[in-house]
Amino acid sequence: MEMTSAQFTVLLLFACIFFSGCMADNQNGTSNLTRPAEVRIGALFTFDSVIGKAVRPAIELAVADVNADPSILPGTNLSVLMQDTNCSGFVGTIEALQLLAKDVLSVLGPQSSAIAHVISHAVNELHVPLISFAASDPTLSSVEYPYFVRATLSDYYQMGAITSIITQYQWKEVIVIYVDDDYGRGGITALGDALSKNKCKITYKAKLPPGAAKTTVQDILMQVNEMESRVYVVHVNPDSGVNVFSAAKSLGMMSSGYVWIATDWLSTVIDSSVHGNPDVMELTQGVIVLRQHITDSDIKHALLSKWNNLTRNGSSTLTSYTMRAYDSVWLVAHAVEQFLSEGNAISFSVDPNLQNIKGSSLQLDSLRIFNNGDKLLEKVWSANFSGVSGSVQFTLDRNLIHPAYAILNIGGTGLRTIGYWSNFSGLSVVPPEKVNSSALHSSTNNIQLHGVIWPGQTSEKPRGWVFPYHGKPLRIGVPLRTSYKEFVMQDNGPDGVKGFSVDVFKSAINLLPYPVSYKFVLFGDGLKNPSYSDLVHKVSENYFDAAIGDIAIVTNRTRLVDFTQPYIESGLIIVAPAKETESNAWAFMKPFTFQMWCVLGVLFLFVGAVVWILEHRTNTEFRGPPRQQIMTVCWFSFSTMFFSHRENTVSALGRFVLLIWLFVVLIINSSYTASLTSLLTVQELTSGIQGLDSLISSSSAIGYQVGSFSKNYLVEELNIAESRLMPLNSPSDYAKALEQGSGNGGVAAIIDELPYVEIFLSKYCKFKTVGQVFTKSGWGFAFPRDSPFAEDLSTAILTLSEDGNLQRMHDEWLAGTECGADNNVGSNSLNLSSFWGLFLICGLACVLALVIFFLRILCQYSRYNDQVEVQFPEPQIINRPARLTTIKSLISFVDKKEEEVKNALKKKTNDSQQPSINSMEEQSSLPR
């Protein structure tokens, strides 16, 4: 039967639809086939090690949990191949190559940083991510190892935490005990860098061979125990690290005075046992130990429940490395899931570099390159999920975010948390995850660490260093002075030196709580005073262990060495020649300036005139002929200077003015007497130098002591030409140069330190200091930088000062000065500026009295004038007296006696009352 064209068209359409559906089904089936049924990863660690026993069950449990989770690798089974490195770098490398030959997508481990360095080159070649849960060497983060992924914390952060602890307790020097492999060297290098940033240092590195025997460890600790530092940082492997504390215990190094800080290997050893190892706890009493801080979470508690069921018959507990290993499996699972979800295929290809190796029987051609290994590595770096150890996320420098450590103190049968450290909050008693919460603002915010029970069961912070019992005696440099030997001088006694500075040093040494062996070594040729800057350089170069004597603490020297607390005050001061003031006929005029004498003369006359005016009307002693009155005013004025005036004052205003004036005279007399006494006994400068400014501006020669820092100060700080400076060695040289003067081969002044000047002036009274000390410093003992000995000796010097022994030694060696250095030259005549306030008060009192007096006169004058008008009412009288309206009449009125004026006013009153009486009498006589 033939098909029509329409039927053929319909049949063709159905065929197209059928084939299209089949192609779609085939494509879907192909997509499902790209996700493999199984993916394999490797695990590389030492099965029998402390870490290996803790991580093996964790890896197996993590693989089982991944396979049981339908959201991760659905339809794909995750399997792990484990290889034992047997704690051997060589065996571990072979095992790693065998593992890589099995086409694994990633390798977990190794736990050893040394093996990680070797096999990182292999995974770089084969493009297989290497995810380590225990390798903590900071150098593994180098760009040299792009396929190395650290799933634990780097020792870079752990050493930062240890540095914070050392800085918190103010220790400056530490000794490190570490295993001499990549793990130990990398960590200690990071510790040294961190300490140097905080002005601390590693004084000795005790290197232990990997797997060192107990006798080897004991020999090394014996050498360590002979050194000064008592702060030890132990960074060794968990499997053999306890031997360090065992040897230390046998040597008595776990007693009071010692500080032991262990990295997180020790907490791993302790945590690996269910009930703790009693032997380990006994050996490590008082040790500070770090542990990776892991925040509590529901995921962690869920794992802990599974872990307890899994290891019920075992002896291992959940350690930080256990959780890191568990999260490492999930890290790979999440990365593979994203890798497959993006349609990436898992395939391997032959490495052409290995194919070119001819004649090898190692079958290296079995190692194949993971073709998309770089894409899987990218997914690993971009991971971001919450694991049992916290947030699993990497920073740009390929480290886990938010590194933090718990700081523990071993005591009794357990561990006690004394604080935390994180890279963003530093030391704190608050857990890092609560730093930004309200807990940070509590009363414990200012507490960085809780109290520690140190070795020897003591809560007192150890000093951190001791003087070595079997060390060589300290070489103490002492300047061999040729002048001012009161401070330091050569002696025939057992010490070879004596003096004030030597006694202070020996007394301070005797106060230290530990014995110190030392010997004095003289520095200098004995011909002139040595250079103290050179002596300080010898200390900085460790030629001398210390330097004592009259060493000034100045800026340049503090950059080289550390000084103790000053034991005597010092500073530069000027000494110049002076002479006694010679008496002359006009010496009595010197206490006051010319202007002062003029003002005093005027003021005496003014006060006398005021008193005369106030007393003239009432006091007969101030009346008489004009010539007599002038003599009275002058006599009264100047006689008050000696309080010998004979005239009495009777008016209230006159007595008021006189009282103020006598007080002024008393002050003037006292000041005159004091000033005259000073001028007749004080010494005056003969060089014309009045202070530092005048000395700098002049061109005169200046003397300085040989070996002193004063020369550098004058040249560098005061910019005085070196050609003006003259070195002088002894007090006799000082006196000779000052007597000669600047123009005769001598000097106009000498600049030296105050203690030397005091001794010089006690012997030569012809010279005086000018001005005040213009630099503030002191003398101390010099020690090498960061020497703890300087701090202890400073405390001893303060003790000597407080109990009076320092002053007693000062008086014994330096007392008995005849010419006080504190009596500075310079006594000027008194001028008006010293008395203007007193003169102002006196002047105001006089003016006030005069105002009151004249107001009273005007009042009397007005009443007196009215009386005259009443007595002479008729204007027709030709010869009647003129009215008192002229100045002459006013002066005439003022010249009248007070009694005469009063009588006249009284008469006026009586006359005004008499007419009234007469009128009354006339009225009474009239008839009624």
Side-chain angles (χ1 to χ4, degrees):
M1 181 178 172
E2 295 183 0
M3 297 177 61
T4 62
S5 59
Q7 293 174 334
F8 179 79
T9 302
V10 173
L11 181 61
L12 182 61
L13 179 61
F14 276 107
C16 291
I17 295 174
F18 175 79
F19 282 115
S20 298
C22 291
M23 292 180 64
D25 291 338
N26 289 336
Q27 288 180 356
N28 291 334
T30 302
S31 177
N32 290 331
L33 291 177
T34 58
R35 183 178 288 272
E38 180 184 22
V39 291
R40 289 179 293 181
I41 61 175
L44 194 64
F45 55 92
T46 301
F47 294 169
D48 293 334
S49 65
V50 172
I51 295 178
K53 292 178 181 179
V55 303
R56 183 170 185 175
I59 294 175
E60 295 173 347
L61 182 59
V63 171
D65 289 345
V66 168
N67 290 329
D69 191 339
S71 63
I72 298 296
L73 298 177
T76 301
N77 183 63
L78 178 66
S79 63
V80 59
L81 304 177
M82 299 186 183
Q83 294 288 99
D84 189 1
T85 60
N86 292 314
C87 287
S88 170
F90 175 74
V91 174
T93 303
I94 300 301
E95 295 291 341
L97 294 177
Q98 292 179 358
L99 194 61
L100 292 171
K102 297 177 182 180
D103 293 342
V104 294
L105 300 185
S106 179
V107 176
L108 303 181
Q111 69 187 66
S112 169
S113 297
I115 300 176
H117 275 280
V118 177
I119 64 175
S120 289
H121 296 285
V123 297
N124 289 347
E125 180 70 19
L126 302 179
H127 299 178
V128 177
L130 178 64
I131 302 175
S132 177
F133 48 78
S136 56
D137 178 13
T139 60
L140 287 170
S141 297
S142 170
V143 294
E144 183 183 4
Y145 310 114
Y147 280 84
F148 176 81
V149 179
R150 194 196 312 277
T152 187
L153 298 183
S154 170
D155 281 338
Y156 172 82
Y157 300 109
Q158 183 168 212
M159 298 309 169
I162 292 177
T163 300
S164 296
I165 296 173
I166 293 171
T167 304
Q168 168 69 17
Y169 291 109
Q170 299 178 347
W171 296 314
K172 296 297 183 182
E173 298 180 351
V174 300
I175 293 177
V176 293
I177 303 169
Y178 68 103
V179 59
D180 193 15
D181 60 6
D182 291 327
Y183 158 73
R185 289 189 296 268
I188 297 306
T189 299
L191 177 61
D193 294 341
L195 288 174
S196 63
K197 294 178 182 178
N198 290 271
K199 297 182 179 180
C200 304
K201 65 179 179 180
I202 298 174
T203 57
Y204 183 74
K205 296 180 180 180
K207 298 181 290 186
L208 301 177
K214 292 183 179 180
T215 55
T216 303
V217 175
Q218 192 168 9
D219 292 341
I220 293 175
L221 290 186
M222 289 178 63
Q223 298 177 6
V224 167
N225 197 33
E226 293 181 353
M227 300 177 183
E228 293 183 2
S229 179
R230 286 292 183 265
V231 181
Y232 306 129
V233 176
V234 184
H235 186 56
V236 294
N237 293 318
D239 299 284
S240 59
V242 180
N243 293 336
V244 174
F245 292 103
S246 178
K249 183 81 172 180
S250 64
L251 294 173
M253 299 174 65
M254 298 301 298
S255 57
S256 60
Y258 290 85
V259 179
W260 292 89
I261 303 175
T263 53
D264 60 354
W265 66 268
L266 182 55
S267 61
T268 302
V269 173
I270 296 175
D271 293 340
S272 62
S273 177
V274 175
H275 303 291
N277 191 327
D279 295 335
V280 175
M281 301 298 293
E282 179 65 24
L283 293 174
T284 56
Q285 292 292 302
V287 176
I288 293 179
V289 59
L290 271 65
R291 177 199 285 161
Q292 295 186 27
H293 175 64
I294 296 176
T295 308
D296 286 336
S297 62
D298 295 337
I299 303 176
K300 178 181 176 181
H301 289 296
L303 175 63
L304 182 60
S305 178
K306 296 177 182 179
W307 184 265
N308 291 334
N309 294 330
L310 181 65
T311 61
R312 180 168 301 173
N313 298 326
S315 60
S316 179
T317 60
L318 201 63
T319 68
S320 58
Y321 289 106
T322 302
M323 290 179 274
R324 298 295 184 186
Y326 183 88
D327 285 343
S328 297
V329 175
W330 279 90
L331 174 62
V332 175
H334 281 287
V336 173
E337 171 62 26
Q338 294 182 12
F339 176 83
L340 295 177
S341 299
E342 293 181 359
N344 294 306
I346 298 176
S347 61
F348 295 86
S349 60
V350 176
D351 187 353
N353 293 328
L354 298 178
Q355 292 294 321
N356 295 331
I357 299 177
K358 304 296 183 180
S360 174
S361 59
L362 298 179
Q363 299 180 352
L364 297 178
D365 54 352
S366 61
L367 298 173
R368 299 193 301 170
I369 297 177
F370 181 17
N371 292 327
N372 291 320
D374 55 341
K375 296 181 179 180
L376 179 61
L377 179 65
E378 181 181 348
K379 303 306 177 186
V380 171
W381 288 128
S382 61
N384 186 3
F385 67 94
S386 296
V388 295
S389 61
S391 178
V392 180
Q393 185 179 354
F394 296 94
T395 61
L396 295 178
D397 58 354
R398 304 193 306 174
N399 284 303
L400 288 174
I401 63 171
H402 306 321
Y405 287 88
I407 303 172
L408 313 172
N409 181 214
I410 301 177
T413 59
L415 297 171
R416 183 172 60 94
T417 302
I418 61 173
Y420 301 89
W421 179 92
S422 68
N423 67 327
F424 59 90
S425 64
L427 293 178
S428 175
V429 295
V430 181
E433 63 272 13
K434 297 181 179 179
V435 165
N436 296 323
S437 65
S438 59
L440 183 64
H441 304 286
S442 65
S443 60
T444 60
N445 183 27
N446 295 327
I447 305 175
Q448 293 185 314
L449 288 177
H450 290 302
V452 178
I453 303 300
W454 304 98
Q457 298 298 311
T458 177
S459 59
E460 183 180 357
K461 186 199 79 170
R463 183 188 301 110
W465 81 284
V466 295
F467 189 81
Y469 294 106
H470 304 290
K472 296 180 180 179
L474 292 176
R475 285 172 49 87
I476 308 297
V478 181
L480 181 56
R481 295 194 59 87
T482 58
S483 62
Y484 299 110
K485 296 183 178 181
E486 293 85 351
F487 299 104
V488 175
M489 70 177 71
Q490 191 173 7
D491 183 50
N492 295 327
D495 294 327
V497 291
K498 65 178 182 179
F500 171 65
S501 300
V502 177
D503 282 0
V504 173
F505 175 77
K506 291 167 64 176
S507 299
I509 286 290
N510 293 333
L511 293 178
L512 298 181
Y514 47 87
V516 178
S517 175
Y518 60 88
K519 65 177 181 179
F520 296 115
V521 181
L522 293 172
F523 177 76
D525 55 11
L527 301 177
K528 62 180 181 179
N529 294 330
S531 171
Y532 281 61
S533 296
D534 292 343
L535 177 60
V536 171
H537 273 285
K538 291 292 184 180
V539 176
S540 66
E541 295 170 356
N542 294 321
Y543 180 82
F544 290 128
D545 297 312
I548 68 169
D550 45 339
I551 306 174
I553 304 174
V554 294
T555 305
N556 293 343
R557 297 171 184 173
T558 56
R559 295 191 181 104
L560 301 175
V561 297
D562 286 342
F563 282 94
T564 62
Q565 172 78 17
Y567 63 89
I568 188 173
E569 293 185 357
S570 181
L572 296 179
I573 194 169
I574 302 173
V575 181
K579 66 177 181 178
E580 296 286 348
T581 302
E582 297 180 359
S583 300
N584 55 63
W586 299 101
F588 69 92
M589 297 293 292
K590 290 185 178 180
F592 293 149
T593 61
F594 177 76
Q595 293 83 357
M596 182 69 178
W597 282 115
C598 293
V599 171
L600 282 176
V602 172
L603 194 59
F604 271 100
L605 294 176
F606 173 72
V607 173
V610 170
V611 173
W612 179 85
I613 293 173
L614 298 176
E615 294 290 322
H616 177 69
R617 302 184 73 221
T618 58
N619 194 339
T620 57
E621 295 182 3
F622 288 88
R623 299 187 66 84
R627 181 178 179 183
Q628 180 182 348
Q629 294 306 302
I630 293 174
M631 293 298 297
T632 300
V633 170
C634 295
W635 167 254
F636 179 83
S637 300
F638 292 102
S639 63
T640 55
M641 178 182 293
F642 310 102
F643 304 98
S644 60
H645 52 284
R646 294 176 297 179
E647 293 80 6
N648 296 320
T649 53
V650 296
S651 66
L653 292 176
R655 290 176 178 178
F656 169 71
V657 171
L658 184 61
L659 178 65
I660 299 296
W661 173 242
L662 291 179
F663 175 74
V664 174
V665 170
L666 175 64
I667 300 299
I668 292 174
N669 284 340
S670 301
S671 302
Y672 177 84
T673 304
S675 181
L676 181 61
T677 303
S678 176
L679 288 171
L680 294 178
T681 58
V682 77
Q683 293 174 323
E684 293 182 344
L685 296 173
T686 60
S687 62
I689 302 300
Q690 299 296 328
L692 181 61
D693 293 337
S694 62
L695 182 62
I696 295 174
S697 60
S698 69
S699 59
S700 303
I702 303 173
Y704 69 92
Q705 185 181 169
V706 174
S708 173
F709 77 96
S710 56
K711 177 183 178 181
N712 291 336
Y713 183 86
L714 296 174
V715 175
E716 298 175 3
E717 301 296 332
L718 302 182
N719 297 319
I720 296 178
E722 190 171 353
S723 59
R724 291 178 55 190
L725 304 181
M726 178 182 295
L728 303 172
N729 193 56
S730 64
S732 59
D733 294 341
Y734 282 23
K736 182 179 179 180
L738 288 172
E739 289 174 351
Q740 290 178 345
S742 178
N744 301 316
V747 297
I750 293 175
I751 293 182
D752 204 356
E753 297 178 68
L754 183 59
Y756 301 128
V757 171
E758 290 177 345
I759 294 178
F760 171 71
L761 294 181
S762 69
K763 301 176 181 179
Y764 298 90
C765 298
K766 298 180 180 180
F767 312 99
K768 297 295 290 184
T769 58
V770 180
Q772 302 294 328
V773 176
F774 55 87
T775 63
K776 296 294 183 180
S777 63
W779 290 353
F781 305 138
F783 288 87
R785 294 300 299 269
D786 302 324
S787 172
F789 197 78
E791 181 178 351
D792 287 355
L793 210 61
S794 294
T795 303
I797 292 174
L798 289 175
T799 303
L800 290 175
S801 177
E802 292 171 358
D803 59 21
N805 286 327
L806 190 61
Q807 185 62 41
R808 179 187 56 79
M809 288 182 283
H810 179 277
D811 295 341
E812 179 182 348
W813 285 97
L814 308 178
T817 59
E818 300 176 2
C819 309
D822 55 346
N823 296 327
N824 296 328
V825 171
S827 179
N828 298 323
S829 299
L830 298 175
N831 51 37
L832 288 176
S833 61
S834 303
F835 298 95
W836 71 269
L838 198 62
F839 291 165
L840 178 62
I841 294 174
C842 182
L844 291 176
C846 293
V847 172
L848 178 62
L850 290 175
V851 170
I852 296 174
F853 175 78
F854 282 112
L855 288 176
R856 183 169 173 270
I857 290 295
L858 291 176
C859 182
Q860 288 182 344
Y861 172 74
S862 177
R863 293 170 58 192
Y864 188 83
N865 189 33
D866 292 341
Q867 178 185 359
V868 173
E869 290 178 355
V870 172
Q871 291 178 352
F872 303 97
E874 298 298 334
Q876 292 80 8
I877 299 176
I878 300 175
N879 294 326
R880 71 185 176 98
R883 296 180 180 275
L884 300 176
T885 56
T886 64
I887 295 177
K888 182 177 180 180
S889 62
L890 180 60
I891 293 176
S892 178
F893 175 78
V894 173
D895 190 53
K896 291 180 179 292
K897 290 184 178 182
E898 182 76 12
E899 184 178 358
E900 180 182 348
V901 174
K902 289 182 178 180
N903 291 334
L905 293 176
K906 185 177 180 180
K907 182 179 180 182
K908 171 189 174 184
T909 303
N910 294 335
D911 292 343
S912 63
Q913 293 176 353
Q914 189 64 35
S916 299
I917 296 174
N918 295 334
S919 175
M920 292 176 62
E921 291 178 350
E922 290 177 356
Q923 291 178 3
S924 62
S925 63
L926 291 176
R928 287 182 170 85

